Amino acid sequence: MTIHGIGGVAVPLQPEGTPMSSKDQNTWRDPDEIARRVRDGSLTRRNLLTLFGVSAASVALASTMGTAAAATRRHDYVIVGAGSAGCTLAARLLADSGASVLLIEAGGTNDLPVVRDFTKSAMAAAPNSGLVWPYESMPQRELLNVRQSFVCGKLEGGSSSVNGMVWVLGNPADYDRWAAQGATGWDYASVRPSLEALSGPIKPSDELTRRNLLSQATVNAAVDLGYTFNPDYNGATQFGVSYTQLNVVDRIRQDAFTSFLVPYLTDPRLTIMTGAEVARLTFDRRNAIDGVVINAGGRQFTVRAEREVILSTGTVNTPRLLQLSGIGAARDLERLGIPVVADLSGVGANLHDHLISVALRRLRTPEPATHITSMDVSVFTGRGRVPGTPRYQGQIYYLAEGGYPPFFGNSQAVGVMNLRPTSRGYVKLRSADPAVPPIIQPNFLRTKEDLETQLDGYRLAIELINAKGLRDWMIDDDAIPGPEVNTRKELIQAVRTYSQADFHAVGTCRMGTDRHAVVDPQLRVHGVSGLRLASAAIMPSITSGNTNAPSMMIGDRCGRLVLGNA
Ligand SMILES: Cc1cc2nc3c(=O)[nH]c(=O)nc-3n(C[C@H](O)[C@H](O)[C@H](O)COP(=O)(O)OP(=O)(O)OC[C@H]3O[C@@H](n4cnc5c(N)ncnc54)[C@H](O)[C@@H]3O)c2cc1C
């Protein structure tokens, strides 16, 4: 019996000379068992692929030789970016067709303890971790000119490998609103199969957050304040106070790569290149996509797709890559000397993100070692701009020793986000050199409405952190904001000081049918052929909650659209 390795190399099922227990022999015959053991950590992907004698895509193709070999092969679909959307897209194409897929990722393996151990997410997401694009925004005028972190994952699984693992599907009305904004076929009824397809590979649960006594006290305190307890904000209603659901099983992060692609790692139709950064796309005279130019190991390669190229490169890197390839506002491209392929002014526009404003107090005593979660309790409340959606999401989180700058440790924080900001910014090239980071201007709090909404939200955060039911847990002296904050002016200053970008950036290559839309509802880029986009970049507007699950949904739905199965 043989199994096909990545890249089509046939290898014996039982690796030569490797003694195997009968349990292991059974494992190798059952792909589901292999997937289960890789997920639960008893088998690392590297070991699996080494055992099979196959050079793991994620290991060997990081080498120049591997990249060169993969570049010469023919692939039906070329997907750039192995993040939340790229992985679900690849999995959908492989599951529902016989097509071959080349997945190109700039970063490296995510088969690392710091990724797998869900308690280490802050380390993985740190700008100097080597696992992220260490992007920062321009100084934010309304936030005391402080630059905001716009890091995003640069490794297998993309941002799903470094994020906070809070699992929120979004509100059904978010998707109905997309359809009303011109994204025909993206209403809730249409996207629902793709949202539902995520559970199975992903098993979200509140099992870990619900067991902390501090989480329980916080939920009770919120109920005393008038919030309704909601056992499942991804269920019948989002509204109320809930234990936060995490995509974590057995203390292991469920990232997009491991959850969706492990079952295909030994499938010859899937080739994965890591350590391979796409520098630009090339087009023929009729604006049909021609090549995908990759920098890897100090060399340059060009790959071509038999059918289509799909960019799943996320909210910052997608407009960056399009602009480097001559797709964007002609004025801006000409200024940088980039030949214009398609004049699309919407590329990079419509950048928006949730801003989180944080109130916190120091805990009387550090939490016991059994308290292993940070993102513990969620509140959805208020009447949102879109009928049926909440206005605010509150994230109540525990900060252990050390804290998270500028917030101190051994404290509990209540962060509140305005779920529907109206301020819009942009991502633009600073230079035609792909090595230079782009300009990221989110324009936080630039509309009067956003400031007023954020202020009202902050009042809710202050009320909850000071709730009667939490008094026994907190000490009086250390608090943000402190007792000196009373007037409206002081509150505004506190919001400007204690607010941060919440890593939910979306919208820079908006889907729609108007002239500023970048992709049509089939996710095809206007003005060129053979190129689609699938990532958080295509969202017309941000969803009510954290954006990982909606991004995964976009990948899955893109796969269905490509195959004509949507
Ligand atoms: C620190 C952090 C915390 C977050 N916390 C949460 C949370 O708790 N819950 C939640 O729901 N959401 C959270 N998010 C947001 C969520 O993870 C993202 O919205 C989502 O993962 C975006 O998916 P994506 O597919 O659009 O992009 P990504 O997952 O970022 O994938 C893009 C991929 O493309 C690759 N790429 C980019 N450019 C190139 C290139 N030129 N060549 C080759 N490859 C390239 C990248 O390396 C990356 O792997 C968080 C995000 C971050 C960064």
Side-chain angles (χ1 to χ4, degrees):
M1 198 171 171
T2 59
I3 189 161
H4 284 81
I6 287 155
V9 189
V11 294
L13 180 60
Q14 179 169 326
E16 273 175 47
T18 311
M20 275 192 175
S21 67
S22 58
K23 180 169 179 274
D24 278 348
Q25 280 180 1
N26 290 337
T27 298
W28 309 137
R29 293 208 171 86
D30 179 356
D32 289 341
E33 177 63 9
I34 293 176
R36 194 193 64 72
R37 288 193 56 186
V38 171
R39 280 195 198 108
D40 77 13
S42 59
L43 185 66
T44 66
R45 289 207 306 271
R46 209 175 285 257
N47 285 347
L48 164 75
L49 292 150
T50 310
L51 265 175
F52 282 130
V54 186
S55 47
S58 53
V59 179
L61 291 185
S63 76
T64 310
M65 243 173 68
T67 306
T72 56
R73 278 200 298 274
R74 303 179 91 79
H75 312 275
D76 291 321
Y77 298 102
V78 172
I79 301 173
V80 185
S84 301
C87 291
T88 52
L89 164 61
R92 177 56 60 200
L93 292 173
L94 293 165
D96 289 358
S97 78
S100 59
V101 172
L102 170 65
L103 184 56
I104 305 171
E105 170 54 47
T109 181
N110 75 346
D111 200 3
L112 306 166
V114 69
V115 173
R116 298 166 62 75
D117 178 348
F118 89 106
T119 65
K120 303 274 190 294
S121 65
M123 274 167 74
N128 60 358
S129 70
L131 304 176
V132 294
W133 302 80
Y135 290 147
E136 275 195 330
S137 75
M138 299 300 284
Q140 291 306 284
R141 200 181 79 181
E142 310 300 323
L143 301 175
L144 311 179
N145 282 325
V146 173
R147 292 179 190 271
Q148 299 298 311
S149 172
F150 264 72
V151 298
C152 41
K154 185 179 184 182
L155 72 172
E156 294 164 343
S159 299
S160 79
S161 293
V162 299
N163 73 8
M165 293 153 285
V166 173
W167 187 256
V168 183
L169 294 177
N171 191 293
D174 295 333
Y175 304 107
D176 290 341
R177 160 114 164 130
W178 285 7
Q181 287 176 301
T184 314
W186 289 78
D187 53 283
Y188 181 60
S190 303
V191 304
R192 199 172 169 173
S194 289
L195 282 171
E196 288 177 352
L198 305 179
S199 339
I202 301 271
K203 294 177 182 57
S205 133
D206 63 7
E207 188 262 323
L208 290 171
T209 54
R210 153 160 66 87
R211 58 160 88 147
N212 306 315
L213 293 180
L214 177 57
S215 306
Q216 293 165 15
T218 307
V219 166
N220 292 336
V223 169
D224 285 348
L225 285 175
Y227 296 98
T228 308
F229 176 67
N230 180 356
D232 179 8
Y233 54 70
N234 287 317
T237 174
Q238 260 192 318
F239 287 88
V241 58
S242 312
Y243 296 106
T244 300
Q245 297 176 25
L246 303 175
N247 47 307
V248 172
V249 172
D250 296 334
R251 301 186 57 160
I252 294 173
R253 172 194 294 276
Q254 295 191 296
D255 66 277
F257 190 89
T258 314
S259 303
F260 293 93
L261 290 184
V262 160
Y264 298 102
L265 283 187
T266 50
D267 187 321
R269 296 173 302 145
L270 175 64
T271 305
I272 305 167
M273 277 183 193
T274 53
E277 183 171 336
V278 172
R280 67 194 153 84
L281 310 172
T282 59
F283 295 85
D284 68 17
R285 284 203 194 140
R286 303 167 79 181
N287 275 10
I289 182 110
D290 179 31
V292 175
V293 181
I294 302 165
N295 288 330
R299 285 179 56 191
Q300 197 157 82
F301 306 89
T302 300
V303 294
R304 291 187 169 77
E306 293 289 309
R307 297 190 193 165
E308 288 191 42
V309 174
I310 304 138
L311 298 188
S312 289
T313 35
T315 296
V316 174
N317 282 315
T318 303
R320 185 177 80 97
L321 189 49
L322 288 178
Q323 289 162 358
L324 285 168
S325 310
I327 302 175
R331 266 195 337 261
D332 295 339
L333 300 178
E334 280 158 2
R335 203 176 310 129
L336 295 172
I338 299 173
V340 178
V341 174
D343 179 10
L344 286 185
S345 61
V347 173
N350 191 43
L351 172 66
H352 56 297
D353 191 355
H354 290 138
L355 183 71
I356 188 161
S357 301
V358 180
L360 88 163
R361 292 183 70 183
R362 197 182 293 279
L363 292 163
R364 227 171 257 289
T365 48
E367 281 288 277
T370 49
H371 189 160
I372 50 170
T373 51
S374 55
M375 310 303 285
D376 289 328
V377 175
S378 297
V379 173
F380 289 93
T381 189
R383 281 168 47 152
R385 287 184 116 244
V386 177
T389 62
R391 191 173 188 81
Y392 299 111
Q393 179 181 0
Q395 296 199 143
I396 294 97
Y397 53 99
Y398 165 54
L399 287 160
E401 190 78 32
Y404 178 80
F407 306 119
F408 43 79
N410 290 330
S411 59
Q412 161 128 303
V414 180
V416 169
M417 296 174 242
N418 163 14
L419 288 171
R420 293 269 158 196
T422 53
S423 304
R424 293 292 183 267
Y426 54 83
V427 173
K428 273 188 191 179
L429 293 182
R430 206 181 292 269
S431 151
D433 177 355
V436 176
I439 298 169
I440 302 172
Q441 174 50 278
N443 279 329
F444 283 119
L445 295 185
R446 286 300 287 273
T447 66
K448 196 165 176 308
E449 177 179 326
D450 284 0
L451 179 62
E452 293 304 325
T453 309
Q454 204 78 23
L455 277 177
D456 286 346
Y458 200 45
R459 289 188 182 100
L460 297 179
I462 294 169
E463 181 186 48
L464 182 51
I465 199 68
N466 290 305
K468 200 162 139 243
L470 287 173
R471 276 191 203 142
D472 288 348
W473 292 79
M474 316 282 176
I475 54 174
D476 285 336
D477 17 9
D478 269 336
I480 285 178
E484 69 286 359
V485 174
N486 295 300
T487 63
R488 176 181 156 85
K489 204 171 153 200
E490 287 158 355
L491 197 68
I492 292 176
Q493 189 65 9
V495 163
R496 296 196 192 288
T497 311
Y498 302 120
S499 297
Q500 298 181 326
D502 207 30
F503 307 112
H504 299 163
V506 303
T508 49
C509 294
R510 182 167 66 77
M511 156 172 58
T513 43
D514 60 285
R515 71 190 172 86
H516 294 298
V518 175
V519 293
D520 69 11
Q522 298 279 313
L523 302 184
R524 294 173 297 214
V525 177
H526 292 299
V528 297
S529 60
L531 179 65
R532 295 193 209 225
L533 308 182
S535 72
I538 66 99
M539 291 190 196
S541 50
I542 199 160
T543 50
S544 303
N546 313 60
T547 45
N548 186 30
S551 305
M552 288 181 176
M553 175 281 284
I554 289 167
D556 182 90
R557 185 157 176 76
C558 177
R560 293 170 196 245
L561 290 169
V562 166
L563 299 175
N565 296 339

